[in-house]
Amino acid sequence: MKAKYQQYYLRGLLLVFLLYHAPTIFLGPGAFFNAFDSLDSFVVWYRLATQSAYAWAPPYAIIEPFMNGVPKFTLVSTYNVYYWLNLLLPTFTAFQFYNVFISGVALIGMWLLCRRHLKVNEPASAFLALSFAFTPFLPTWGLSIAGQPLLLFVILNIRKERPAIWNWLILAAFPFTSNFQSAGVFILFAFGVLIGYDIVQKHPVKRLFLAFAILLAVYLVTKIDLIQNLLGGEGFVSHRMEMRRFPVSLGICMKIFARYFLLGNVDVALSLHTFVLLPFVCLVYVVHVVRKRELPLNLTITLGIITLICFYIAILNWEPLVELRNSSDLLRMFSLERFHIFLQLLWHIAAAQALLLVVPRYQGRILIVVAAMQLAVCFAYQPTYYERFVKKFISIVPYHYIFTYEDYYAERMFENIKTAIGRPVQTYRVASIGIPPAVAQYNGMWTIDGYSSNYPLPYKHQFRDIIADELEKNGNNRGFFDFWGSQSIVVYDQGLPYFETHMTRGMAPSERPVTLSHEALRKLGCNYILSAENISDPEKSGLRKLAIFRSAIWHVSLYEVINTQ
């Protein structure tokens, strides 16, 4: 009877998982995806780097279509599952599979962690596994966040008993699916804290030391190019040398603390705990303290770690610490805030611990209510379901920009643009205004602009000459380019307190003055401008309007950079 129940149960779990990913699987390029740090960068980096000319090239080979040529290692890691997928599959198929793969590993890892080490029953484990798997992971991060439950599961197996060989294999495979500089450093730090705790408690740590050494060694071997990236690259001074941090008051620090505690990191680690898991965990905590007149140890520790991480992130923005960070090249360039990557896992562990504190006779009913509410939130944040259904009733922001894959890259429109230009793509260069350069790059055009976390500082200065007049119009834009600068793009004054990188159809006014340096454009070899803006008096920038093109989301004016010689 129990075997039949489990079989039925697991089928239901798989059915809900497939329902969530049905748009990605069945709609294909017609499904909606988050463009932030995904379609606008990640997808194109790997598409370019796995072209036949570069696929087997060394890390320092120059990828010419991107920003007039950048070293391959600044865009991708060749020791990465997603790189291999792009070698084997078409770009969209690789992206489609990778998204489902990330979520699937998150599901399995959280299920195993809950059942084996958190001692949660099957219904609760299934709910928490689905909830964690349905948080909106950025594919850029691979399994850096999504794979944490599985990694913790095997580490605890290694810690508690004589582990099976597959535990070691999973441990060694993890660096091939995660980012070292964004997550691996912090995962190794947390691992070190666990080892330190066991040393203090006089627990045996030989196997943990070995596991730590294996994880570190594989990271070093597979991410050597990214380690050099982090340290400023090889053979050039990185644009990251000009990055600056800006201090805020202690009052603002407390607002940052509240933001991370209530929301997580809204850019890369949105945990969706705000509406259901957080109030549930806090309510159970308070009820337990009132009823038992004692603090629940495990849940207190978990909430304490969450609070400590949020406070740490907040206080890093305090003026004395910002001045310290700005005085050091490494501290200034490296994002010390990224302990936020653990918040998704920690809130789900807290929810598991809270469920264990619920009075047994109420557990089933409470679980049904909490699970129904939390999974409803998860489905509402699924991009396609949000755009097709939820948006009609309530406006939320799952992330920054949500578009269908086919609309975003507008391949038919770009074929028309290339036909209008009438030259082989390698014989000219383009820049984009109001459109991420990734769109042109995806369509095979060679660009002078781009989004890269590491590129030569002199190139940033050359590119800045193009937009110098526009940067003088808006201080926020000037800070965006001068003190971050990973998006070496045409930043222009939009009259907004922030720079909008996606000026889709209907957003731009009938015309806007955009002043570019004709001389600087020519120095970087730019021949054409693809603009979402209708530029007033383009002749002032040495531009001539050639044609207008439209797609589902883009309205593009094609300008030629006039040769005055």
Side-chain angles (χ1 to χ4, degrees):
M1 184 69 179
K2 185 177 180 182
K4 288 183 179 180
Y5 167 76
Q6 288 178 332
Q7 186 180 30
Y8 174 79
Y9 198 81
L10 291 176
R11 286 178 180 175
L13 182 70
L14 180 61
L15 179 63
V16 176
F17 181 81
L18 291 177
L19 179 63
Y20 181 86
H21 289 288
T24 302
I25 296 170
F26 297 111
L27 295 181
F32 286 84
F33 297 94
N34 168 35
F36 173 75
D37 273 6
S38 179
L39 302 183
D40 69 353
S41 49
F42 174 73
V43 170
V44 172
W45 295 342
Y46 282 87
R47 178 178 172 87
L48 292 177
T50 53
Q51 290 178 355
S52 57
Y54 310 110
W56 308 107
Y60 301 100
I62 301 300
I63 297 182
E64 294 179 295
F66 192 96
M67 290 175 65
N68 273 348
V70 295
K72 181 179 176 180
F73 82 92
T74 64
L75 299 180
V76 302
S77 171
T78 54
Y79 299 102
N80 182 282
V81 169
Y82 190 61
Y83 186 86
W84 304 333
L85 285 174
N86 275 270
L87 289 177
L88 297 172
L89 301 171
T91 304
F92 175 74
T93 306
F95 180 67
Q96 181 185 38
F97 178 85
Y98 199 51
N99 275 282
V100 179
F101 166 75
I102 289 170
S103 184
V105 172
L107 180 84
I108 294 169
M110 183 57 74
W111 166 268
L112 292 173
L113 181 66
C114 287
R115 293 295 293 138
R116 184 73 173 273
H117 295 292
L118 298 179
K119 306 300 182 184
V120 181
N121 63 26
E122 285 188 348
S125 296
F127 153 60
L128 292 169
L130 289 169
S131 174
F132 186 79
F134 294 165
T135 51
F137 303 112
L138 283 180
T140 315
W141 290 65
L143 296 184
S144 300
I145 299 172
Q148 287 175 19
L150 184 60
L151 181 64
L152 180 58
F153 171 74
V154 300
I155 288 173
L156 293 179
N157 288 347
I158 291 170
R159 179 185 185 227
K160 287 191 173 183
E161 58 195 46
R162 192 175 185 84
I165 187 64
W166 57 264
N167 289 280
W168 298 102
L169 292 175
I170 291 174
L171 180 78
F174 187 77
F176 291 95
T177 62
S178 64
N179 298 336
F180 176 72
Q181 77 282 13
S182 302
V185 171
F186 302 96
I187 289 170
L188 287 166
F189 178 86
F191 200 165
V193 171
L194 176 63
I195 293 173
Y197 172 81
D198 278 0
I199 291 174
V200 171
Q201 295 296 315
K202 300 187 181 339
H203 295 157
V205 293
K206 288 183 179 179
R207 286 198 301 271
L208 281 185
F209 266 122
L210 178 59
F212 182 91
I214 290 173
L215 191 63
L216 176 59
V218 179
Y219 262 129
L220 292 178
V221 170
T222 60
K223 310 297 192 215
I224 188 65
D225 49 354
L226 291 181
I227 294 171
Q228 291 171 325
N229 179 357
L230 176 65
L231 297 176
E234 180 172 305
F236 64 83
V237 177
S238 172
H239 85 282
R240 301 179 70 87
M241 291 296 292
E242 287 190 341
M243 286 185 170
R244 290 291 184 275
R245 308 283 171 172
F246 294 94
V248 298
S249 66
L250 281 175
I252 299 298
C253 286
M254 291 304 99
K255 290 183 179 180
I256 294 173
F257 166 82
R259 171 196 167 190
Y260 276 88
F261 190 86
L262 296 174
L263 301 176
N265 185 290
V266 297
D267 291 330
V268 299
L270 189 63
S271 57
L272 300 188
H273 68 279
T274 310
F275 305 109
V276 180
L277 297 186
L278 186 152
F280 167 69
V281 169
C282 293
L283 180 61
V284 170
Y285 188 90
V286 170
V287 170
H288 180 86
V289 171
V290 172
R291 287 183 66 251
K292 299 289 187 178
R293 298 186 182 278
E294 64 178 13
L295 298 178
L297 179 61
N298 291 336
L299 183 54
T300 300
I301 291 173
T302 303
L303 289 176
I305 294 172
I306 291 172
T307 303
L308 181 62
I309 288 174
C310 296
F311 179 77
Y312 161 81
I313 294 171
I315 208 66
L316 281 177
N317 294 276
W318 187 38
E319 185 171 2
L321 291 180
V322 170
E323 290 178 358
L324 175 64
R325 295 177 71 183
N326 283 336
S327 67
S328 164
D329 290 341
L330 180 61
L331 294 179
R332 185 176 65 252
M333 293 188 293
F334 188 59
S335 295
L336 297 171
E337 296 87 351
R338 284 181 171 159
F339 281 102
H340 60 64
I341 65 168
F342 297 118
L343 292 177
Q344 284 169 300
L345 174 62
L346 287 169
W347 276 112
H348 282 80
I349 290 176
Q353 294 168 337
L355 284 168
L356 292 174
L357 295 177
V358 175
V359 176
R361 67 175 179 271
Y362 298 129
Q363 276 185 356
R365 282 173 284 182
I366 289 176
L367 175 61
I368 290 173
V369 173
V370 172
M373 294 172 63
Q374 176 64 13
L375 292 180
V377 170
C378 291
F379 271 82
Y381 273 75
Q382 206 278 354
T384 302
Y385 290 133
Y386 170 71
E387 286 290 332
R388 292 286 178 84
F389 306 110
V390 179
K391 193 176 181 179
K392 298 175 183 178
F393 305 100
I394 184 171
S395 178
I396 57 177
V397 184
Y399 260 121
H400 292 66
Y401 311 103
I402 296 174
F403 308 99
T404 69
Y405 188 95
E406 59 189 3
D407 286 348
Y408 192 78
Y409 291 121
E411 293 182 72
R412 181 178 297 178
M413 182 185 74
F414 272 83
E415 284 302 318
N416 293 334
I417 293 174
K418 287 186 285 187
T419 299
I421 292 174
R423 297 166 55 183
V425 291
Q426 66 271 22
T427 64
Y428 61 89
R429 303 291 184 272
V430 304
S432 299
I433 296 178
I435 310 170
V439 180
Q441 291 159 357
Y442 183 94
N443 284 283
M445 303 184 90
W446 293 35
T447 72
I448 67 166
D449 47 359
Y451 181 179
S452 174
S453 61
N454 188 27
Y455 63 92
L457 180 61
Y459 191 84
K460 176 186 174 184
H461 293 163
Q462 287 180 283
F463 195 92
R464 191 189 191 283
D465 290 340
I466 296 173
I467 56 175
D469 289 342
E470 287 296 320
L471 294 181
E472 290 304 312
K473 298 178 184 178
N474 189 309
N476 290 328
N477 287 351
R478 190 163 60 251
F480 170 78
F481 187 88
D482 287 345
F483 300 123
W484 182 56
S486 289
Q487 293 195 45
S488 186
I489 60 179
V490 177
V491 179
Y492 62 99
D493 183 29
Q494 300 168 330
L496 299 172
Y498 60 92
F499 181 69
E500 176 57 72
T501 57
H502 292 67
M503 192 61 63
T504 53
R505 284 183 66 168
M507 291 182 63
S510 58
E511 64 176 18
R512 195 195 305 268
V514 179
T515 305
L516 306 179
S517 168
H518 177 262
E519 180 183 359
L521 284 169
R522 297 294 297 171
K523 279 184 178 180
L524 287 184
C526 185
N527 306 101
Y528 298 95
I529 300 290
L530 307 174
S531 178
E533 300 280 357
N534 181 32
I535 302 174
S536 57
D537 298 321
E539 296 80 10
K540 290 182 179 180
S541 300
L543 304 178
R544 178 171 59 219
K545 191 171 185 176
L546 298 181
I548 297 174
F549 302 87
R550 295 179 178 84
S551 71
I553 64 172
W554 302 116
H555 182 286
V556 175
S557 295
L558 175 63
Y559 293 89
E560 182 181 14
V561 180
I562 300 171
N563 187 352
T564 57
Q565 295 180 347

